[in-house]
Amino acid sequence: MNSQRVLLTGVTGFLGSHTAIRLLEKGYQVTGTLRDMDRAAAIREVIARHTPHIHRLTFAQADLQDKTQWFELTKGIDFVQHVASPFPRELPGHEDDIIVPAREGVLNILTAAAANKVKRVVLTSSSAAVTHGKTPQQLGKVYTEADWSNVNNTKDLTPTLKVKR
């Protein structure tokens, strides 16, 4: 059995839950973070429908902006997969209500992971990070780490897309 431990942020999201299933199937011990522990039972039930290894999944309540919490959560962790980001159903009154927690969350997790000597951190973004504001001709290519969305093209530009940049 694999004894390596993964801290997976955003376990209640679509990508987070699918990532948890794959990690459990590969034998990892997974701690999934969520903002509200009241959602733990429901997401455990969903994930259990897709893997018999649910016993290797635990949960921790976390706030992206709480530096101390991330330092504690990364202790004894081998890997972090950061897939959480604020994604409200409705846009807030000010874009910083999305941008600040997303940015601070990444910085807090990276700082804590470095302090606790986590072996690897994987940050997951969205295709919006590279495709927004592109022409149809520009979309028909293979993207690399050098490609980013055109944030100067403000048509349909939301704070969520700015975060992804």
Side-chain angles (χ1 to χ4, degrees):
M1 183 168 100
N2 190 345
S3 63
Q4 292 183 312
R5 298 184 62 210
V6 178
L7 180 66
L8 170 65
T9 69
V11 71
T12 58
F14 178 81
L15 185 58
S17 61
H18 283 270
T19 302
I21 292 163
R22 295 295 298 152
L23 289 168
L24 294 168
E25 286 294 306
K26 298 239 179 231
Y28 292 97
Q29 301 290 322
V30 178
T31 299
T33 70
L34 37 79
R35 286 177 292 195
D36 182 355
M37 286 300 283
D38 289 342
R39 296 187 64 195
I43 196 64
R44 177 181 295 282
E45 183 179 314
V46 169
I47 292 170
R49 288 185 211 142
H50 302 281
T51 179
H53 307 292
I54 197 70
H55 60 280
R56 292 197 297 260
L57 176 65
T58 59
F59 296 103
Q61 188 166 340
D63 177 343
L64 288 172
Q65 293 182 277
D66 186 332
K67 292 178 186 180
T68 305
Q69 194 174 53
W70 292 106
F71 182 79
E72 291 301 317
L73 287 171
T74 55
K75 284 182 178 176
I77 293 293
D78 296 293
F79 308 107
V80 173
Q81 285 202 228
H82 181 47
V83 302
S85 191
F87 198 83
R89 293 175 198 256
E90 294 181 18
L91 291 177
H94 194 276
E95 66 183 20
D96 280 349
D97 293 342
I98 294 176
I99 293 171
V100 171
R103 180 186 62 229
E104 296 302 313
V106 169
L107 293 173
N108 290 338
I109 290 165
L110 289 174
T111 300
N116 284 314
K117 299 187 179 8
V118 171
K119 295 173 188 168
R120 179 171 291 176
V121 177
V122 176
L123 301 176
T124 303
S125 185
S126 161
S127 63
V130 295
T131 60
H132 179 76
K134 301 281 173 74
T135 65
Q137 295 78 19
Q138 292 170 318
L139 292 173
K141 66 172 252 179
V142 175
Y143 292 99
T144 71
E145 61 276 1
D147 295 298
W148 294 101
S149 286
N150 178 359
V151 295
N152 295 316
N153 181 344
T154 58
K155 182 183 176 191
D156 300 325
L157 185 64
T158 66
T160 304
L161 294 176
K162 288 181 181 180
V163 167
K164 303 301 180 200
R165 172 67 166 89

